[in-house]
């Protein structure tokens, strides 16, 4: 009877050791899964934040207006982004650029809108190249574009 009690006690001890080891491994696996899930959610939130920031960013471009749009050379500034551009500043420099056209500002430029800067230079500016710098601020910070614009 004593041997049977000893065997039962040893088996109970081994079962409890197995249960403790299994519980520890299960807890480690749960912790690992929770960490992986937390990292995945954090990455999803970061992706949404980046997408929201991109949607709020203004994306401005500048080009020469088509000759039929104006008798004098002029520029077109477009906001191709999803954010409102504020404090838009266009600086143009080059031979034949009108003195009052060196820097022009606009308070805002809404998404999808354009700004036609007329009378950038004299009619004899056609065929020449102007250095144009475009800067702005938007909810994501701002941006800058430098371009060489050829007037046709």
């Amino acid at each position: 009877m004593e041997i049977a009690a000893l065997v039962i006690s040893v088996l109970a001890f081994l079962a409890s050791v197995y249960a403790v080891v299994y519980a520890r491994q299960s807890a480690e696996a749960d912790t690992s899964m929770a960490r992986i899930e937390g990292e995945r959610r954090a990455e999803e939130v970061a992706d949404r934040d980046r997408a929201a920031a991109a949607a709020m960013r203004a994306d401005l471009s500048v080009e020469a207006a088509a000759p039929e749009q104006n008798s004098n050379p002029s520029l077109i500034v477009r906001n191709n982004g999803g954010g409102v551009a504020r404090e838009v500043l266009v600086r143009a420099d080059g031979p034949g650029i009108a003195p009052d056209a060196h820097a022009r500002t606009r308070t805002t430029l809404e998404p999808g809108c354009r700004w036609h800067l007329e009378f950038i230079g004299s009619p004899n500016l056609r065929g020449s190249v102007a250095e144009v710098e475009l800067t702005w601020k938007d909810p994501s910070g701002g941006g800058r574009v430098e371009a060489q614009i050829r007037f046709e």
Side-chain angles (χ1 to χ4, degrees):
M1 192 67 132
E2 290 178 17
I3 293 179
L6 180 64
V7 170
I8 292 174
S9 294
V10 169
L11 289 175
F13 175 74
L14 290 175
S16 66
V17 168
Y18 176 76
V20 168
V21 169
Y22 179 77
R24 180 180 233 171
Q25 289 175 343
S26 179
E28 287 175 358
D30 289 346
T31 302
S32 177
M33 289 301 291
R35 188 184 78 248
I36 291 170
E37 182 67 20
E39 290 171 356
R40 185 186 65 79
R41 286 184 182 168
E43 188 156 329
E44 286 176 356
V45 168
D47 287 345
R48 280 194 301 264
D49 289 347
R50 281 191 291 273
M56 296 306 294
R57 189 174 305 126
D59 180 22
L60 272 56
S61 63
V62 61
E63 61 189 31
E68 61 272 4
Q69 288 181 311
N70 196 338
S71 59
N72 286 324
S74 58
L75 297 173
I76 302 287
V77 176
R78 296 180 197 278
N79 184 352
N80 304 311
V84 176
R86 300 196 185 288
E87 300 177 32
V88 181
L89 174 64
V90 178
R91 289 187 184 105
D93 194 18
I97 300 292
D100 62 342
H102 282 287
R104 295 213 185 152
T105 60
R106 182 168 173 152
T107 309
T108 62
L109 188 59
E110 298 289 329
C113 292
R114 67 183 213 145
W115 176 25
H116 189 168
L117 287 83
E118 299 183 50
F119 307 112
I120 259 319
S122 62
N124 62 359
L125 191 59
R126 294 191 191 286
S128 64
V129 176
E131 297 288 329
V132 178
E133 178 186 7
L134 175 62
T135 59
W136 69 92
K137 293 181 180 175
D138 61 28
S140 70
R144 180 174 185 221
V145 172
E146 290 184 21
Q148 290 186 340
I149 305 295
R150 181 167 186 80
F151 294 100
E152 302 296 328

